[in-house]
Amino acid sequence: MDSFGSDFSSVSSGSGKVDTGTIMEQVKVQIAVANAQELLQRMTDKCFKKCIGKPGGTLDNSEQKCIAMCMDRYMDAWNTVSRAYNSRLQRERARI
């Protein structure tokens, strides 16, 4: 939490005013990082449960192939949903 506060302490100008544009960009970056971390965590959990029958020190060939295919499918599905969501957002914004 300390790094969060320190990130924003550097955005004020010499006059003491806060640069809201810089803060917004930092927030956008932090949200994007959080979303990527959540995506990776969900993908890891789902593919591990699907592909790994007996955890051990190494993955056999079938487990490696299953993990790779599962992650590919998960990313394809996520990209499809993201494109559809963004398209819908753009249509809704255009109506306003």
Side-chain angles (χ1 to χ4, degrees), residues 7-71:
D7 287 346
F8 293 108
S9 63
S10 63
V11 297
S12 60
S13 64
S15 64
K17 294 183 181 178
V18 176
D19 181 0
T20 57
T22 302
I23 291 173
M24 289 301 293
E25 286 303 313
Q26 288 178 348
V27 169
K28 286 178 184 178
V29 168
Q30 289 175 349
I31 289 170
V33 168
N35 286 338
Q37 289 172 332
E38 182 179 355
L39 171 66
L40 184 59
Q41 184 62 46
R42 285 185 182 187
M43 183 172 48
T44 300
D45 290 345
K46 289 186 182 295
C47 292
F48 183 87
K49 287 176 185 172
K50 177 180 176 19
C51 297
I52 310 301
K54 50 181 178 17
T58 60
L59 299 175
D60 63 28
N61 282 341
S62 64
E63 290 172 330
Q64 289 178 17
K65 288 178 185 177
C66 180
I67 290 284
M69 289 175 53
C70 178
M71 292 176 82

Side-chain angles (χ1 to χ4, degrees), residues 66-89:
C66 180
I67 290 284
M69 289 175 53
C70 178
M71 292 176 82
D72 286 345
R73 283 192 309 268
Y74 197 94
M75 287 301 298
D76 288 344
W78 188 84
N79 286 330
T80 300
V81 170
S82 294
R83 280 192 299 273
Y85 178 73
N86 287 331
S87 175
R88 183 169 182 174
L89 278 178

